[in-house]
Amino acid sequence: MSGQARRRVPRLHPVGALALGAAFGALVSALNAGDSTASEAASLVLGAGWAWAGLALAAGCLAATRAAGAIAGGLALVAATTAYYATDTVLRHEPFALYWAEIRRWWLLGAVFGCLLGLVGAYMRDAGVAGLLARLALPAGATAQMIILPPRAGDVVVSSTLVVSSTANWTRVVVLTAATLSAAALVAHHAVRWRQLARTGARRAGRRTP
């Protein structure tokens, strides 16, 4: 046994990935059905593509290995899709078969991109450059979506002009701010850590020099 204690790696088994995805999908569907300002804002956040990508990243990060991370990411998104539409059928009193074409399409996309994102999530535990880039994937995705495809909920058309709801505007500002701050914090944390490691290495090298 080595002198240094090994860090325990959190493990997310396939059943856990399915449960995580199912809970996420059901929650998003329930929020979409809500009529309060809070539920609308939460729906705009969790219903966005970057949040679903974050689900796959989290599943991959919690898996034991990179291969398991890829599998966990795919399973999480497939389960989230299934639970989302299943909850929709209950809340909207519509048959599950009505969504069958959409479900199959999102299953395929979820399986493919979920595996890729799960693999990226597995790299989030790395301490090097790869780990930093993997951690920046979520805030970068959130920023890109808020700029290219900003949230739109409760929009109305006045004199042929689209008026975006105030909730959607505030949600966009909050997400952009949080993504920017988290990305800056991640970069700063890694910069400080790498500088400390460089100093420690230099000291050790100096001690070994005759």
Side-chain angles (χ1 to χ4, degrees):
M1 190 173 177
S2 61
Q4 294 181 348
R6 293 183 177 180
R7 292 170 53 187
R8 294 187 62 185
V9 179
R11 298 177 183 272
L12 182 68
H13 296 284
V15 175
L18 290 171
L20 179 64
F24 180 88
L27 175 61
V28 174
S29 175
L31 290 173
N32 288 343
D35 55 2
S36 66
T37 303
S39 63
E40 180 186 358
S43 173
L44 288 173
V45 173
L46 296 181
W50 66 265
W52 287 69
L55 169 66
L57 289 171
C61 182
L62 293 174
T65 64
R66 290 171 185 169
I71 295 173
L75 289 176
L77 285 188
V78 170
T81 300
T82 306
Y84 176 86
Y85 284 105
T87 307
D88 267 4
T89 62
V90 175
L91 298 177
R92 297 183 179 183
H93 305 287
E94 296 174 341
F96 189 76
L98 182 65
Y99 304 104
W100 186 237
E102 292 183 38
I103 293 173
R104 286 183 296 177
R105 181 173 66 251
W106 287 113
W107 272 346
L108 177 60
L109 293 174
V112 174
F113 288 101
C115 289
L116 295 175
L117 290 167
L119 180 59
V120 174
Y123 276 91
M124 293 174 72
R125 295 196 304 268
D126 291 1
V129 177
L132 174 59
L133 293 176
R135 291 183 178 92
L136 289 174
L138 186 59
T143 301
Q145 183 168 2
M146 290 301 103
I147 294 175
I148 301 173
L149 294 172
R152 299 186 183 279
D155 298 348
V156 295
V157 177
V158 179
S159 299
S160 301
T161 302
L162 181 66
V163 180
V164 182
S165 69
S166 59
T167 303
N169 281 327
W170 278 110
T171 301
R172 184 187 186 192
V173 171
V174 170
V175 172
L176 281 173
T177 302
T180 302
L181 292 178
S182 62
L186 284 170
V187 173
H189 171 75
H190 279 264
V192 171
R193 188 173 184 277
W194 290 338
R195 182 176 298 179
Q196 291 175 344
L197 291 175
R199 290 178 179 175
T200 302
R203 290 173 184 172
R204 290 178 179 176
R207 293 174 183 174
R208 293 174 183 174
T209 303

